[in-house]
Structures are given as structure tokens and as C-alpha cells.
Coordinates of all heavy atoms in Angstrom, one line a residue:
M1 N 0.8 -1.2 0.0 CA 0.0 0.0 0.0 C 0.9 1.2 0.0 O 1.9 1.3 0.7 CB -0.9 0.0 1.3 CG -1.9 1.1 1.3 SD -3.0 0.9 2.7 CE -3.0 2.5 3.3
R2 N 0.5 2.2 -0.8 CA 1.3 3.4 -0.9 C 0.6 4.6 -0.3 O -0.6 4.7 -0.6 CB 1.6 3.7 -2.4 CG 2.6 2.7 -3.0 CD 2.7 3.0 -4.4 NE 3.6 4.1 -4.7 CZ 4.9 4.0 -4.9 NH1 5.4 2.9 -4.9 NH2 5.6 5.1 -5.0
A3 N 1.2 5.3 0.5 CA 0.6 6.5 1.0 C 0.6 7.6 -0.1 O 1.6 7.8 -0.7 CB 1.4 7.0 2.2
A4 N -0.5 8.2 -0.2 CA -0.5 9.3 -1.2 C -0.2 10.6 -0.5 O -1.0 11.0 0.4 CB -1.9 9.3 -1.8
L5 N 0.8 11.2 -0.9 CA 1.1 12.5 -0.4 C 0.7 13.6 -1.4 O 0.9 13.5 -2.5 CB 2.6 12.7 -0.2 CG 3.2 11.8 0.9 CD1 4.7 12.1 1.0 CD2 2.6 12.1 2.3
L6 N 0.0 14.6 -0.9 CA -0.5 15.6 -1.7 C 0.7 16.5 -2.2 O 0.7 16.9 -3.3 CB -1.5 16.5 -1.0 CG -2.8 15.7 -0.7 CD1 -3.8 16.6 0.0 CD2 -3.5 15.2 -2.0
T7 N 1.6 16.8 -1.3 CA 2.7 17.6 -1.6 C 4.0 16.8 -1.2 O 4.1 16.4 -0.1 CB 2.7 19.0 -1.0 OG1 2.6 18.8 0.4 CG2 1.5 19.8 -1.5
V8 N 4.9 16.7 -2.1 CA 6.2 16.1 -1.8 C 7.1 17.2 -1.4 O 7.3 18.2 -2.1 CB 6.7 15.4 -3.0 CG1 8.1 14.8 -2.7 CG2 5.8 14.2 -3.4
P9 N 7.6 17.1 -0.2 CA 8.5 18.2 0.3 C 9.7 18.4 -0.6 O 10.3 17.4 -1.0 CB 8.8 17.9 1.7 CG 8.6 16.4 1.8 CD 7.5 16.1 0.8
E10 N 10.1 19.6 -0.7 CA 11.3 19.8 -1.5 C 12.5 19.7 -0.5 O 12.5 20.2 0.6 CB 11.2 21.3 -2.0 CG 12.4 21.7 -2.8 CD 12.2 23.1 -3.3 OE1 11.5 23.3 -4.3 OE2 12.7 24.1 -2.6
R11 N 13.5 19.0 -1.0 CA 14.7 18.9 -0.2 C 15.9 19.5 -0.9 O 16.1 19.3 -2.1 CB 15.0 17.4 0.1 CG 13.9 16.7 0.9 CD 14.4 15.4 1.4 NE 15.4 15.5 2.3 CZ 15.9 14.4 3.0 NH1 15.5 13.2 2.8 NH2 16.9 14.6 3.9
R12 N 16.6 20.3 -0.1 CA 17.7 21.0 -0.7 C 19.0 20.4 -0.2 O 19.1 20.1 1.0 CB 17.7 22.5 -0.3 CG 16.5 23.2 -1.0 CD 16.4 24.7 -0.5 NE 15.3 25.3 -1.2 CZ 15.4 25.9 -2.4 NH1 16.6 25.9 -3.0 NH2 14.4 26.4 -3.0
W13 N 19.9 20.2 -1.1 CA 21.2 19.5 -0.8 C 22.3 20.5 -1.0 O 22.3 21.3 -1.9 CB 21.3 18.3 -1.6 CG 20.1 17.3 -1.5 CD1 19.0 17.3 -2.2 CD2 20.0 16.2 -0.6 NE1 18.2 16.3 -1.8 CE2 18.8 15.6 -0.8 CE3 20.9 15.7 0.4 CZ2 18.4 14.5 -0.1 CZ3 20.5 14.6 1.1 CH2 19.2 14.0 0.9
E14 N 23.4 20.2 -0.3 CA 24.6 20.9 -0.5 C 25.8 20.1 -0.2 O 25.6 19.0 0.4 CB 24.7 22.2 0.3 CG 24.7 22.0 1.8 CD 24.6 23.3 2.6 OE1 24.1 24.3 2.0 OE2 24.9 23.2 3.8
C15 N 26.9 20.5 -0.6 CA 28.1 19.7 -0.4 C 29.1 20.6 0.4 O 29.4 21.7 0.1 CB 28.8 19.3 -1.7 SG 30.3 18.5 -1.5
P16 N 29.7 20.1 1.5 CA 30.6 20.9 2.3 C 32.0 21.0 1.6 O 32.8 21.8 2.0 CB 30.8 20.1 3.6 CG 30.2 18.7 3.4 CD 29.3 18.8 2.2
N17 N 32.2 20.2 0.5 CA 33.5 20.3 -0.1 C 33.6 21.0 -1.4 O 34.6 21.2 -2.0 CB 34.0 18.8 -0.3 CG 34.2 18.1 1.0 OD1 34.8 18.6 1.9 ND2 33.6 16.9 1.1
C18 N 32.4 21.3 -2.0 CA 32.4 22.0 -3.3 C 31.1 22.8 -3.4 O 30.3 22.7 -2.5 CB 32.6 21.0 -4.4 SG 31.1 20.1 -4.8
P19 N 31.0 23.6 -4.4 CA 29.8 24.5 -4.5 C 28.5 23.8 -4.9 O 27.5 24.5 -5.1 CB 30.2 25.6 -5.5 CG 31.7 25.4 -5.7 CD 32.0 24.0 -5.4
A20 N 28.6 22.5 -5.1 CA 27.4 21.8 -5.6 C 26.2 22.0 -4.7 O 26.2 21.8 -3.5 CB 27.7 20.3 -5.8
I21 N 25.0 22.3 -5.4 CA 23.8 22.3 -4.7 C 22.8 21.6 -5.6 O 22.9 21.5 -6.8 CB 23.3 23.7 -4.3 CG1 23.2 24.5 -5.6 CG2 24.1 24.4 -3.3 CD1 22.5 25.9 -5.4
D22 N 21.7 21.1 -5.0 CA 20.7 20.4 -5.8 C 19.4 20.4 -5.0 O 19.4 20.7 -3.8 CB 21.1 18.9 -6.0 CG 20.4 18.4 -7.3 OD1 19.6 19.1 -7.9 OD2 20.7 17.2 -7.6
V23 N 18.3 20.2 -5.7 CA 17.0 20.1 -5.1 C 16.3 18.8 -5.5 O 16.4 18.5 -6.7 CB 16.1 21.3 -5.5 CG1 14.7 21.2 -4.9 CG2 16.8 22.6 -5.0
T24 N 15.8 18.0 -4.6 CA 15.0 16.9 -5.0 C 13.6 17.0 -4.4 O 13.4 17.6 -3.4 CB 15.7 15.6 -4.5 OG1 15.8 15.6 -3.1 CG2 17.0 15.4 -5.1
R25 N 12.7 16.3 -5.1 CA 11.3 16.1 -4.6 C 11.0 14.6 -4.7 O 10.7 14.1 -5.7 CB 10.3 16.9 -5.5 CG 10.4 18.4 -5.4 CD 9.5 19.0 -6.4 NE 9.5 20.5 -6.2 CZ 8.7 21.1 -5.3 NH1 7.9 20.4 -4.6 NH2 8.8 22.4 -5.2
E26 N 11.1 14.0 -3.5 CA 10.9 12.6 -3.5 C 10.3 12.2 -2.1 O 10.9 12.7 -1.1 CB 12.3 11.9 -3.7 CG 12.1 10.4 -4.1 CD 13.4 9.8 -4.5 OE1 14.2 10.5 -5.3 OE2 13.7 8.7 -4.1
A27 N 9.3 11.5 -2.1 CA 8.6 11.2 -0.9 C 9.4 10.2 0.0 O 9.4 10.3 1.2 CB 7.2 10.6 -1.1
Q28 N 10.1 9.3 -0.6 CA 10.8 8.3 0.1 C 12.1 8.9 0.6 O 12.7 9.8 0.0 CB 11.2 7.1 -0.8 CG 10.0 6.5 -1.4 CD 9.0 5.9 -0.3 OE1 9.4 5.4 0.7 NE2 7.7 6.2 -0.5
P29 N 12.6 8.3 1.8 CA 14.0 8.8 2.2 C 15.0 8.5 1.1 O 14.9 7.4 0.5 CB 14.2 7.9 3.4 CG 12.9 7.5 3.9 CD 12.0 7.4 2.7
H30 N 15.8 9.4 0.9 CA 16.8 9.2 -0.2 C 18.0 10.1 0.1 O 18.0 10.9 1.0 CB 16.2 9.6 -1.5 CG 15.8 11.1 -1.6 ND1 14.6 11.5 -1.0 CD2 16.3 12.1 -2.2 CE1 14.5 12.8 -1.2 NE2 15.5 13.2 -2.0
S31 N 19.0 9.8 -0.6 CA 20.2 10.7 -0.5 C 20.6 11.1 -1.9 O 20.0 10.6 -2.9 CB 21.4 9.9 0.1 OG 21.6 8.7 -0.6
R32 N 21.5 12.0 -2.0 CA 21.8 12.6 -3.3 C 23.3 12.5 -3.4 O 24.1 12.9 -2.5 CB 21.4 14.1 -3.3 CG 21.5 14.8 -4.6 CD 20.4 14.4 -5.5 NE 20.6 15.0 -6.8 CZ 21.1 14.4 -7.9 NH1 21.4 13.1 -7.8 NH2 21.2 15.0 -9.0
F33 N 23.8 12.0 -4.5 CA 25.2 11.9 -4.8 C 25.6 12.8 -6.0 O 24.7 13.1 -6.8 CB 25.6 10.4 -5.2 CG 25.7 9.6 -3.9 CD1 24.6 9.2 -3.2 CD2 26.9 9.2 -3.5 CE1 24.7 8.4 -2.1 CE2 27.1 8.4 -2.4 CZ 25.9 8.0 -1.7
H34 N 26.8 13.2 -6.0 CA 27.3 14.0 -7.1 C 28.8 13.6 -7.2 O 29.4 13.1 -6.3 CB 27.1 15.4 -6.8 CG 28.0 16.0 -5.7 ND1 28.0 15.5 -4.4 CD2 28.9 16.9 -5.7 CE1 28.9 16.1 -3.7 NE2 29.5 17.0 -4.5
N35 N 29.3 13.9 -8.4 CA 30.8 13.8 -8.6 C 31.4 15.1 -8.0 O 31.3 16.1 -8.5 CB 31.1 13.6 -10.0 CG 30.6 12.3 -10.6 OD1 30.5 11.3 -9.8 ND2 30.2 12.3 -11.8
C36 N 32.1 14.9 -6.9 CA 32.5 16.0 -6.1 C 33.9 16.6 -6.5 O 34.9 15.9 -6.5 CB 32.6 15.6 -4.6 SG 33.0 17.0 -3.6
A37 N 33.8 17.8 -6.9 CA 35.1 18.5 -7.3 C 36.0 18.6 -6.1 O 37.2 18.6 -6.3 CB 34.8 19.8 -7.9
G38 N 35.5 18.7 -5.0 CA 36.3 18.9 -3.8 C 36.9 17.6 -3.3 O 37.8 17.6 -2.5
L39 N 36.4 16.5 -3.8 CA 37.0 15.2 -3.4 C 37.6 14.5 -4.7 O 37.4 13.3 -4.9 CB 35.9 14.3 -2.8 CG 35.5 14.7 -1.4 CD1 34.4 13.8 -0.8 CD2 36.7 14.7 -0.4
A40 N 38.2 15.3 -5.5 CA 38.8 14.7 -6.7 C 37.9 13.9 -7.6 O 38.3 12.9 -8.1 CB 40.1 13.9 -6.3
G41 N 36.7 14.3 -7.7 CA 35.7 13.7 -8.6 C 35.0 12.5 -8.1 O 34.3 11.8 -8.8
L42 N 35.2 12.1 -6.8 CA 34.6 11.0 -6.3 C 33.0 11.2 -6.3 O 32.6 12.3 -6.1 CB 35.0 10.7 -4.8 CG 36.3 10.0 -4.6 CD1 36.6 10.0 -3.1 CD2 36.3 8.6 -5.2
S43 N 32.3 10.1 -6.4 CA 30.9 10.1 -6.2 C 30.6 10.2 -4.7 O 30.8 9.2 -4.0 CB 30.2 8.8 -6.8 OG 28.9 8.9 -6.5
A44 N 30.2 11.4 -4.3 CA 30.1 11.6 -2.8 C 28.7 12.0 -2.5 O 28.0 12.7 -3.3 CB 31.1 12.7 -2.4
P45 N 28.2 11.7 -1.3 CA 26.9 12.1 -0.9 C 26.9 13.6 -0.6 O 27.8 14.2 -0.1 CB 26.6 11.3 0.4 CG 28.0 11.0 0.9 CD 28.9 10.9 -0.3
M46 N 25.7 14.2 -0.9 CA 25.5 15.6 -0.5 C 24.7 15.5 0.9 O 24.2 14.5 1.2 CB 24.6 16.3 -1.5 CG 25.3 16.3 -2.9 SD 24.3 17.1 -4.2 CE 24.7 18.8 -4.0
V47 N 24.7 16.6 1.6 CA 24.0 16.7 2.8 C 22.9 17.7 2.7 O 22.9 18.6 1.9 CB 25.0 17.1 4.0 CG1 26.1 16.0 4.1 CG2 25.5 18.4 3.8
P48 N 21.8 17.4 3.5 CA 20.7 18.4 3.5 C 21.2 19.8 3.8 O 22.1 20.0 4.7 CB 19.8 17.9 4.6 CG 20.1 16.5 4.7 CD 21.6 16.3 4.4
A49 N 20.8 20.8 3.0 CA 21.3 22.1 3.1 C 21.1 22.6 4.6 O 20.1 22.4 5.2 CB 20.5 23.0 2.2
G50 N 22.1 23.2 5.1 CA 22.1 23.8 6.4 C 22.6 22.8 7.5 O 22.7 23.1 8.6
T51 N 22.9 21.6 7.0 CA 23.5 20.6 8.0 C 24.9 20.9 8.2 O 25.7 21.1 7.2 CB 23.3 19.2 7.4 OG1 22.0 18.9 7.1 CG2 23.8 18.1 8.4
R52 N 25.3 20.9 9.5 CA 26.7 21.0 9.7 C 27.3 19.6 9.6 O 27.0 18.7 10.4 CB 27.0 21.5 11.2 CG 27.0 23.0 11.2 CD 27.3 23.5 12.6 NE 27.8 22.5 13.5 CZ 28.7 22.7 14.5 NH1 29.2 23.9 14.6 NH2 29.0 21.8 15.3
A53 N 28.1 19.4 8.6 CA 28.7 18.1 8.3 C 30.0 18.2 7.6 O 30.3 19.2 7.0 CB 27.7 17.3 7.5
K54 N 30.8 17.2 7.7 CA 31.9 17.1 6.8 C 31.9 15.8 6.1 O 31.4 14.8 6.7 CB 33.2 17.3 7.6 CG 33.5 16.3 8.7 CD 34.8 16.6 9.4 CE 35.1 15.6 10.5 NZ 36.4 15.8 11.2
V55 N 32.4 15.8 4.9 CA 32.4 14.6 4.1 C 33.8 14.4 3.7 O 34.5 15.2 3.1 CB 31.5 14.8 2.8 CG1 31.6 13.5 1.9 CG2 30.1 15.0 3.2
E56 N 34.3 13.2 4.1 CA 35.8 12.9 3.8 C 36.0 11.6 3.2 O 35.3 10.6 3.5 CB 36.5 12.9 5.2 CG 36.4 14.2 6.0 CD 36.9 13.9 7.4 OE1 36.3 13.2 8.1 OE2 38.0 14.5 7.7
A57 N 36.9 11.5 2.2 CA 37.3 10.3 1.6 C 38.2 9.5 2.5 O 39.0 10.1 3.2 CB 37.9 10.5 0.3
V58 N 38.0 8.2 2.6 CA 38.9 7.3 3.3 C 39.8 6.6 2.4 O 39.3 5.8 1.6 CB 38.1 6.3 4.2 CG1 39.0 5.5 5.0 CG2 37.1 7.1 5.1
E59 N 41.0 6.9 2.4 CA 41.9 6.2 1.5 C 42.2 4.8 1.9 O 42.3 4.5 3.1 CB 43.3 7.0 1.5 CG 44.2 6.5 0.3 CD 45.3 7.5 0.1 OE1 45.3 8.7 0.7 OE2 46.3 7.1 -0.5
R60 N 42.2 3.9 0.9 CA 42.4 2.5 1.2 C 43.9 2.3 1.4 O 44.7 2.7 0.6 CB 41.9 1.7 0.1 CG 42.0 0.2 0.3 CD 41.4 -0.5 -0.9 NE 41.8 -1.9 -0.9 CZ 41.0 -2.9 -1.0 NH1 39.7 -2.7 -1.2 NH2 41.4 -4.2 -1.0
E61 N 44.2 1.6 2.5 CA 45.6 1.4 2.8 C 46.1 0.0 2.7 O 47.3 -0.3 2.6 CB 45.9 1.9 4.2 CG 45.8 3.4 4.3 CD 45.8 3.9 5.7 OE1 45.7 3.1 6.6 OE2 45.9 5.2 5.9
D62 N 45.2 -1.0 2.6 CA 45.6 -2.4 2.5 C 45.9 -2.7 1.1 O 45.7 -2.0 0.1 CB 44.6 -3.3 3.1 CG 43.2 -3.1 2.6 OD1 42.9 -2.0 2.1 OD2 42.5 -4.1 2.6
Y63 N 46.5 -3.9 0.9 CA 46.9 -4.4 -0.4 C 45.7 -4.5 -1.4 O 44.6 -5.1 -1.0 CB 47.6 -5.7 -0.3 CG 48.0 -6.3 -1.5 CD1 49.0 -5.7 -2.3 CD2 47.5 -7.5 -2.0 CE1 49.4 -6.3 -3.5 CE2 47.9 -8.1 -3.1 CZ 48.8 -7.5 -3.9 OH 49.2 -8.1 -5.1
I64 N 45.8 -4.0 -2.5 CA 44.7 -4.0 -3.5 C 44.6 -5.3 -4.3 O 43.5 -5.8 -4.6 CB 44.7 -2.8 -4.4 CG1 44.5 -1.6 -3.5 CG2 43.7 -2.9 -5.5 CD1 44.8 -0.3 -4.2
G65 N 45.8 -5.9 -4.7 CA 45.8 -7.1 -5.4 C 45.1 -6.9 -6.8 O 45.3 -5.9 -7.4
S66 N 44.2 -7.8 -7.1 CA 43.6 -7.8 -8.4 C 42.2 -7.2 -8.3 O 41.4 -7.4 -9.3 CB 43.5 -9.2 -9.0 OG 42.8 -10.1 -8.2
E67 N 41.8 -6.6 -7.2 CA 40.5 -6.1 -7.1 C 40.3 -4.8 -7.9 O 41.3 -4.0 -8.0 CB 40.1 -5.8 -5.6 CG 40.0 -7.1 -4.8 CD 39.8 -6.8 -3.4 OE1 40.3 -5.7 -2.9 OE2 39.3 -7.6 -2.7
D68 N 39.1 -4.6 -8.4 CA 38.8 -3.3 -9.0 C 38.3 -2.4 -7.9 O 37.3 -2.6 -7.3 CB 37.8 -3.4 -10.1 CG 38.3 -4.1 -11.3 OD1 39.5 -4.0 -11.6 OD2 37.5 -4.8 -12.0
V69 N 39.1 -1.4 -7.6 CA 38.7 -0.5 -6.5 C 38.4 0.9 -7.1 O 38.8 1.2 -8.2 CB 39.8 -0.4 -5.4 CG1 40.0 -1.7 -4.8 CG2 41.0 0.3 -5.9
Q70 N 37.8 1.7 -6.3 CA 37.4 3.1 -6.7 C 38.6 4.0 -6.5 O 39.3 4.0 -5.4 CB 36.3 3.6 -5.8 CG 35.9 5.0 -6.0 CD 35.0 5.1 -7.2 OE1 34.1 4.3 -7.5 NE2 35.3 6.2 -8.0
Y71 N 39.0 4.7 -7.5 CA 40.1 5.6 -7.4 C 39.5 7.0 -7.5 O 38.6 7.3 -8.3 CB 41.1 5.4 -8.5 CG 41.9 4.2 -8.4 CD1 41.5 3.0 -9.0 CD2 43.1 4.1 -7.6 CE1 42.2 1.9 -8.9 CE2 43.8 3.0 -7.5 CZ 43.4 1.8 -8.1 OH 44.1 0.7 -8.0
D72 N 40.1 7.9 -6.8 CA 39.7 9.3 -7.0 C 40.5 9.9 -8.2 O 41.3 9.3 -8.8 CB 39.8 10.1 -5.7 CG 41.3 10.4 -5.3 OD1 42.2 10.2 -6.1 OD2 41.5 10.9 -4.2
G73 N 40.2 11.2 -8.5 CA 40.8 11.8 -9.7 C 42.3 12.0 -9.5 O 43.0 12.3 -10.5
D74 N 42.9 11.8 -8.3 CA 44.3 11.9 -8.1 C 45.0 10.5 -8.1 O 46.1 10.4 -7.8 CB 44.6 12.6 -6.8 CG 44.1 14.1 -6.8 OD1 44.1 14.7 -7.8 OD2 43.7 14.5 -5.7
G75 N 44.2 9.5 -8.4 CA 44.7 8.2 -8.5 C 44.9 7.4 -7.2 O 45.5 6.4 -7.1
R76 N 44.3 8.0 -6.1 CA 44.4 7.3 -4.8 C 43.2 6.4 -4.7 O 42.1 6.7 -5.0 CB 44.3 8.4 -3.7 CG 45.5 9.2 -3.6 CD 45.4 10.3 -2.5 NE 44.2 11.0 -2.7 CZ 43.8 12.0 -1.9 NH1 44.5 12.3 -0.9 NH2 42.7 12.6 -2.1
P77 N 43.5 5.2 -4.2 CA 42.4 4.2 -4.0 C 41.6 4.7 -2.8 O 42.1 5.0 -1.7 CB 43.1 2.9 -3.7 CG 44.5 3.3 -3.2 CD 44.8 4.6 -3.8
V78 N 40.3 4.7 -3.0 CA 39.4 5.2 -1.9 C 38.5 4.1 -1.5 O 37.8 3.4 -2.4 CB 38.6 6.4 -2.4 CG1 37.6 6.8 -1.3 CG2 39.6 7.6 -2.6
M79 N 38.4 3.8 -0.3 CA 37.5 2.7 0.2 C 36.1 3.2 0.6 O 35.2 2.4 0.6 CB 38.2 1.8 1.3 CG 38.6 2.6 2.5 SD 39.5 1.6 3.7 CE 38.3 0.4 4.2
A80 N 36.0 4.4 1.0 CA 34.8 4.8 1.6 C 34.8 6.4 1.6 O 35.8 7.0 1.6 CB 34.5 4.3 2.9
V81 N 33.6 6.9 1.7 CA 33.4 8.3 2.0 C 32.6 8.4 3.3 O 31.5 7.7 3.4 CB 32.7 9.1 0.9 CG1 32.3 10.5 1.3 CG2 33.6 9.1 -0.3
V82 N 33.1 9.1 4.3 CA 32.4 9.2 5.6 C 31.8 10.6 5.7 O 32.5 11.6 5.5 CB 33.4 9.0 6.7 CG1 32.7 9.1 8.1 CG2 34.0 7.6 6.6
T83 N 30.5 10.6 6.0 CA 29.8 11.9 6.3 C 29.7 12.0 7.8 O 29.0 11.1 8.4 CB 28.4 11.9 5.6 OG1 28.6 11.6 4.3 CG2 27.8 13.2 5.9
T84 N 30.3 13.0 8.4 CA 30.2 13.1 9.9 C 29.3 14.3 10.2 O 29.6 15.4 9.7 CB 31.6 13.4 10.5 OG1 32.4 12.3 10.1 CG2 31.5 13.4 12.0
R85 N 28.2 14.1 11.0 CA 27.3 15.1 11.4 C 27.4 15.2 12.9 O 28.0 14.4 13.6 CB 25.9 14.8 10.9 CG 25.7 14.7 9.5 CD 24.2 14.4 9.2 NE 23.7 13.3 10.0 CZ 23.7 12.0 9.6 NH1 24.1 11.7 8.4 NH2 23.3 11.1 10.4
D86 N 26.7 16.2 13.4 CA 26.7 16.4 14.9 C 26.0 15.2 15.5 O 26.4 14.8 16.7 CB 25.9 17.7 15.2 CG 26.7 18.9 15.0 OD1 27.9 18.8 14.8 OD2 26.1 20.0 15.0
D87 N 25.1 14.6 14.8 CA 24.3 13.5 15.5 C 24.7 12.1 15.0 O 24.0 11.1 15.1 CB 22.8 13.7 15.3 CG 22.4 13.7 13.8 OD1 23.3 13.8 13.0 OD2 21.2 13.7 13.5
G88 N 25.8 12.0 14.3 CA 26.2 10.7 13.9 C 27.0 10.7 12.6 O 27.3 11.8 12.1
N89 N 27.2 9.6 12.0 CA 27.8 9.6 10.7 C 27.3 8.5 9.8 O 26.7 7.5 10.2 CB 29.3 9.5 10.8 CG 29.8 8.3 11.5 OD1 29.2 7.3 11.5 ND2 31.0 8.4 12.2
D90 N 27.5 8.7 8.5 CA 27.2 7.7 7.5 C 28.4 7.3 6.8 O 29.3 8.1 6.6 CB 26.2 8.3 6.5 CG 24.9 8.8 7.1 OD1 24.4 8.0 7.9 OD2 24.4 9.8 6.7
V91 N 28.5 6.1 6.4 CA 29.7 5.6 5.6 C 29.2 5.1 4.3 O 28.3 4.3 4.2 CB 30.4 4.5 6.4 CG1 31.6 4.0 5.5 CG2 30.9 5.0 7.7
T92 N 29.7 5.6 3.2 CA 29.4 5.1 1.9 C 30.7 4.3 1.5 O 31.7 4.8 1.4 CB 29.3 6.3 0.9 OG1 28.2 7.1 1.3 CG2 29.0 5.7 -0.5
V93 N 30.5 3.0 1.4 CA 31.6 2.1 1.1 C 31.6 1.8 -0.4 O 30.6 1.5 -1.0 CB 31.4 0.8 1.9 CG1 32.5 -0.2 1.5 CG2 31.5 1.0 3.3
Y94 N 32.8 2.0 -1.0 CA 33.0 1.5 -2.4 C 33.4 0.1 -2.3 O 34.6 -0.2 -2.1 CB 34.0 2.4 -3.1 CG 33.6 3.9 -3.1 CD1 34.2 4.8 -2.4 CD2 32.5 4.2 -3.9 CE1 33.8 6.2 -2.5 CE2 32.1 5.6 -4.0 CZ 32.8 6.5 -3.3 OH 32.4 7.8 -3.3
A95 N 32.5 -0.8 -2.5 CA 32.9 -2.2 -2.4 C 33.8 -2.6 -3.6 O 33.4 -2.3 -4.7 CB 31.7 -3.1 -2.4
P96 N 34.9 -3.2 -3.3 CA 35.8 -3.6 -4.4 C 35.1 -4.7 -5.2 O 34.4 -5.6 -4.6 CB 37.1 -4.0 -3.8 CG 36.7 -4.3 -2.4 CD 35.5 -3.5 -2.0
T97 N 35.4 -4.8 -6.4 CA 34.9 -5.9 -7.3 C 36.0 -6.9 -7.4 O 37.1 -6.6 -7.9 CB 34.5 -5.4 -8.7 OG1 33.6 -4.3 -8.5 CG2 33.8 -6.5 -9.4
A98 N 35.8 -8.1 -6.8 CA 36.8 -9.1 -6.9 C 36.7 -9.9 -8.2 O 35.6 -10.1 -8.7 CB 36.7 -10.0 -5.7
H99 N 37.8 -10.3 -8.7 CA 37.8 -11.1 -9.9 C 37.9 -12.6 -9.4 O 38.4 -12.9 -8.4 CB 39.0 -10.8 -10.8 CG 38.9 -9.5 -11.4 ND1 38.0 -9.1 -12.3 CD2 39.7 -8.4 -11.1 CE1 38.2 -7.9 -12.7 NE2 39.2 -7.4 -11.9
G100 N 37.4 -13.5 -10.3 CA 37.6 -14.9 -10.0 C 36.4 -15.6 -9.4 O 35.3 -15.4 -9.7
R101 N 36.8 -16.5 -8.4 CA 35.8 -17.4 -7.9 C 34.6 -16.8 -7.2 O 34.8 -15.7 -6.5 CB 36.5 -18.4 -7.0 CG 37.6 -19.2 -7.6 CD 38.2 -20.1 -6.6 NE 38.5 -19.3 -5.3 CZ 39.7 -18.9 -5.0 NH1 40.7 -19.2 -5.7 NH2 39.9 -18.3 -3.8
L102 N 33.5 -17.4 -7.2 CA 32.4 -17.1 -6.3 C 32.3 -18.2 -5.3 O 32.4 -19.4 -5.7 CB 31.1 -16.9 -7.1 CG 30.9 -15.6 -7.8 CD1 29.6 -15.6 -8.5 CD2 31.0 -14.4 -6.8
G103 N 31.9 -17.9 -4.1 CA 31.6 -18.9 -3.1 C 32.8 -19.6 -2.6 O 32.7 -20.6 -2.0
Ligands
ZN201 ZN1 31.0 18.1 -3.6

């Protein structure tokens, strides 16, 4: 069953690392990603406008081997982007794609 909303609230998004802003109208909880100029082009989450937050890339430090990992525009392997807010944090993990066997 779907709830019918007469008006879908407008959500404004911004990025603490670059000038990107956006507006979405979506009834379901959602997040907004963009290719962030402030994080060397990584696909990073935006935060609701007015939120005090920082968004940081977490560089991958362990051995990469034959996995396909996410690199930023500077060629650094990035394992996650962490959004830290006053009330908690979110982690966006770039899961590496392993080659070879399954199971
Ligand atoms: Zn950005």
C-alpha cells in the first residue's frame, strides 16, 4: 500500500567540499550523490542544506591485489566516504569488485 502525499516536500542539498547544490522532490527517504570536485571527482553524498557536516574520503591502505577499487581523480584508492554530522555519521563504502571465484 502506498501513502498518497499531496505535496512532496522539497529537499535542498549541498556539499561541504564544493559549491554543488541540488533540489530533489521525492517522498521516500533518499540521498543525493554527485561527482565532487572537492574530493577529486569521487561520487560523494550531499548533505541536506544547512546541515553541519563534513564529508571525507577514506583512502584505502591495504593491499589491493587484483580487485577493482574506486580511485579518485588523483589516483588514490578510496575505500569509503564518511559523512560526519553532529548526530552521527554515514559511511558510503565503495565495495571492491573481486575477480575470480564465487563462493
Ligand atoms: Zn561536492
Side-chain angles (χ1 to χ4, degrees):
M1 186 174 135
R2 292 174 76 93
L5 292 180
L6 293 177
T7 55
V8 177
E10 182 180 277
R11 297 190 69 173
R12 294 176 178 275
W13 302 89
E14 65 188 16
C15 176
N17 296 313
C18 76
I21 56 171
D22 204 357
V23 177
T24 56
R25 290 175 176 274
E26 196 170 319
Q28 303 299 319
H30 61 285
S31 57
R32 187 81 183 99
F33 280 72
H34 70 301
N35 294 327
C36 184
L39 291 176
L42 280 175
S43 177
M46 301 175 87
V47 299
T51 303
R52 272 186 10 147
K54 62 180 179 179
V55 177
E56 299 168 296
V58 180
E59 192 167 344
R60 182 177 165 131
E61 290 169 348
D62 55 334
Y63 178 66
I64 294 170
S66 62
E67 294 173 334
D68 289 331
V69 300
Q70 176 79 42
Y71 291 93
D72 71 11
D74 296 328
R76 292 178 306 182
V78 174
M79 58 187 294
V81 170
V82 179
T83 305
T84 305
R85 300 181 310 266
D86 286 346
D87 61 350
N89 60 28
D90 297 321
V91 179
T92 302
V93 175
Y94 299 112
T97 307
H99 294 290
R101 303 177 310 256
L102 279 178

